[in-house]
Amino acid sequence: MTDKTMHITLRPNEKIYLNGAVLRPDRKVTLELLNDATFLLEAHVMQAEDTNTPLKQLYFAAQVMLIDPDTADKTVMIFVEMLGKMLRTFNDPIILEGLRKCIDLTEQDKIFEVLKVIRGLFDREATIMGKKPASAKEKKTA
């Protein structure tokens, strides 16, 4: 085992997107990842119909880079274009700082970290747009 070893426990029928493949166990299972792998748990996957704000659309684009590595080159161009537009549109310092951090993380190919940063900005965006921030249950699926 190395310091890259990670254990992921999945419930029956819970999906994990792993290096472009979708896995769904029929029973509770613990996976041991012995090396670097790109993965996304089903709870963090946003559906296209839920992309009703600019940051959620940006999240969706980053998510596609992780889920479908075959189209990552094309998707990263879309992601960078969207990110540039948002940097010119938003004037909230916290959101702008988060978006700049996303640039750095994308350049380092740390897309999972990009998703975490964007998810952390959802409540701020909701407040700016005059919407109620998501409840804890909604956040779990976002």
Side-chain angles (χ1 to χ4, degrees):
M1 284 192 241
T2 68
D3 60 351
K4 299 275 186 188
T5 300
M6 177 182 284
H7 292 86
I8 301 170
T9 301
L10 301 171
R11 296 180 306 271
N13 298 312
E14 180 181 15
K15 293 178 190 171
I16 183 170
Y17 300 80
L18 180 66
N19 287 349
V22 182
L23 307 172
R24 183 176 57 200
D26 62 353
R27 62 186 70 97
K28 182 177 178 180
V29 64
T30 298
L31 302 174
E32 181 179 13
L33 302 180
L34 301 175
N35 61 342
D36 258 347
T38 302
F39 71 92
L40 195 58
L41 296 172
E42 181 177 21
H44 293 136
V45 174
M46 182 176 291
Q47 300 303 311
E49 60 268 12
D50 296 328
T51 60
N52 54 7
T53 70
L55 285 177
K56 288 181 179 179
Q57 292 168 1
L58 188 67
Y59 182 96
F60 189 81
Q63 167 187 294
V64 171
M65 288 188 277
L66 278 179
I67 290 175
D68 189 2
D70 292 341
T71 65
D73 289 343
K74 188 185 306 180
T75 309
V76 76
M77 292 180 352
I78 294 167
F79 177 83
V80 168
E81 183 180 326
M82 292 171 69
L83 190 55
K85 288 178 181 178
M86 287 182 197
L87 284 168
R88 292 187 299 274
T89 304
F90 279 106
N91 58 15
D92 180 81
I94 293 172
I95 290 182
L96 290 172
E97 179 183 335
L99 293 175
R100 287 187 198 98
K101 187 171 185 176
C102 288
I103 293 170
D104 295 339
L105 291 168
T106 302
E107 289 172 350
Q108 297 171 43
D109 199 29
K110 294 183 177 181
I111 306 306
F112 186 77
E113 297 300 318
V114 168
L115 293 175
K116 287 177 19 180
V117 169
I118 297 170
R119 261 195 323 267
L121 298 173
F122 285 165
D123 283 351
R124 184 78 173 185
E125 179 186 43
T127 301
I128 290 169
M129 296 177 78
K131 297 179 180 178
K132 184 176 78 170
S135 68
K137 183 179 180 182
E138 290 169 332
K139 283 182 188 180
K140 191 173 184 181
T141 60

